[in-house]
Amino acid sequence: AQSVTQPDIHITVSEGASLELRCNYSYGATPYLFWYVQSPGQGLQLLLKYFSGDTLVQGIKGFEAEFKRSQSSFNLRKPSVHWSDAAEYFCAVGRITGNQFYFGTGTSLTVIP
Amino acid sequence: DGGITQSPKYLFRKEGQNVTLSCEQNLNHDAMYWYRQDPGQGLRLIYYSQIVNDFQKGDIAEGYSVSREKKESFPLTVTSAQKNPTAFYLCASRFNSGRGRSGANVLTFGAGSRLTVL
């Protein structure tokens, strides 16, 4: 069965520090992989996606993620976190046919000054 | 600007009442989805529709109903049979596969509707 695991429920980082949010997936084939961000009471905004090709993908707001097939991981990174990055982050997996998407339970990010 | 509009933003319901959440998109997307979000549980799929007049149950369809009479609209009805309806509901849409890899298979979300049962 397909599944997405975000092992960190909550992370706190200092402004200006680097960030890495973990995502592991279980999937029978090469998946489509996504990271979304959600501010309180809002919908989800796409940060970046991986379909194929270069395993290091760049997204909006200075985020990047690396697909590692051998580790079934798609971790999200940012070199220097800003206070406005405080939000909930969701990793997701999609099927090639695109009928369904599977979301992790999310990681809540707090940024301290 | 194109996007997805969900209404109302906040909705209060008495037990035993049916309520309908609206979802309208002007992105010309083919497929539309309804997700339920509860704290610590991520997003769970309620229903999805790939084309007009067709829809499929997701993982937690019991107590919910949908219709897809127009491409732009995918309303969700939360019925009295839903035992624990208090949640945040998210509507999403996307192009079907084959429309071009850059746009297909990427979900665009609305701002959500929060339903509270009193």
Side-chain angles (χ1 to χ4, degrees):
Chain A
Q2 298 86 352
S3 67
V4 179
T5 302
Q6 294 181 246
D8 302 307
I9 296 173
H10 185 252
I11 285 182
T12 299
V13 299
S14 298
E15 190 169 16
S18 63
L19 171 70
E20 181 168 31
L21 302 182
R22 296 182 291 165
C23 173
N24 293 95
Y25 64 91
S26 173
Y27 202 75
T30 300
Y32 291 168
L33 295 161
F34 309 86
W35 274 100
Y36 285 87
V37 61
Q38 183 182 36
S39 297
Q42 298 298 315
L44 277 67
Q45 179 185 21
L46 180 70
L47 282 176
L48 47 78
K49 63 184 184 291
Y50 172 78
F51 285 174
S52 64
D54 192 346
T55 57
L56 183 64
V57 293
Q58 303 296 321
I60 62 171
K61 305 184 180 185
F63 285 93
E64 67 177 26
E66 186 172 12
F67 170 55
K68 293 185 177 180
R69 184 188 303 275
S70 62
Q71 299 178 18
S72 296
S73 69
F74 189 57
N75 294 348
L76 182 71
R77 300 194 293 251
K78 187 170 185 178
S80 177
V81 171
H82 187 263
W83 64 266
S84 60
D85 293 325
E88 187 95 16
Y89 291 80
F90 291 93
C91 181
V93 170
R95 291 180 58 184
I96 297 297
T97 55
N99 289 339
Q100 290 207 30
F101 297 78
Y102 302 90
F103 287 82
T105 52
T107 297
S108 176
L109 175 65
T110 297
V111 180
I112 56 177
Chain B
D1 289 339
I4 300 176
T5 301
Q6 291 188 239
S7 62
K9 179 69 173 175
Y10 301 95
L11 184 60
F12 298 88
R13 185 193 98 174
K14 294 182 179 180
E15 286 192 20
Q17 289 182 334
N18 293 354
V19 294
T20 297
L21 306 180
S22 170
C23 178
E24 303 278 335
Q25 54 98 0
N26 60 2
L27 300 166
N28 198 31
H29 282 175
D30 307 292
M32 298 186 73
Y33 299 74
W34 274 106
Y35 288 90
R36 171 177 171 146
Q37 185 177 21
D38 297 281
Q41 297 194 47
L43 278 67
R44 293 183 290 168
L45 181 64
I46 304 173
Y47 270 98
Y48 66 98
S49 166
Q50 289 187 273
I51 57 173
V52 175
N53 293 322
D54 187 53
F55 47 83
Q56 286 77 41
K57 293 182 179 179
D59 301 319
I60 56 166
E62 184 176 354
Y64 299 97
S65 66
V66 294
S67 63
R68 186 88 186 276
E69 297 177 1
K70 299 186 301 182
K71 186 176 184 179
E72 303 79 19
S73 178
F74 192 41
L76 173 73
T77 297
V78 185
T79 75
S80 57
Q82 170 51 235
K83 300 305 180 186
N84 185 23
T86 294
F88 191 56
Y89 291 88
L90 287 161
C91 179
S93 67
R94 64 168 180 86
F95 286 118
N96 279 338
S97 300
R99 287 292 196 124
R101 292 182 68 85
S102 62
N105 297 314
V106 177
L107 288 176
T108 298
F109 284 85
S113 293
R114 183 166 299 281
L115 172 63
T116 302
V117 174
L118 303 175

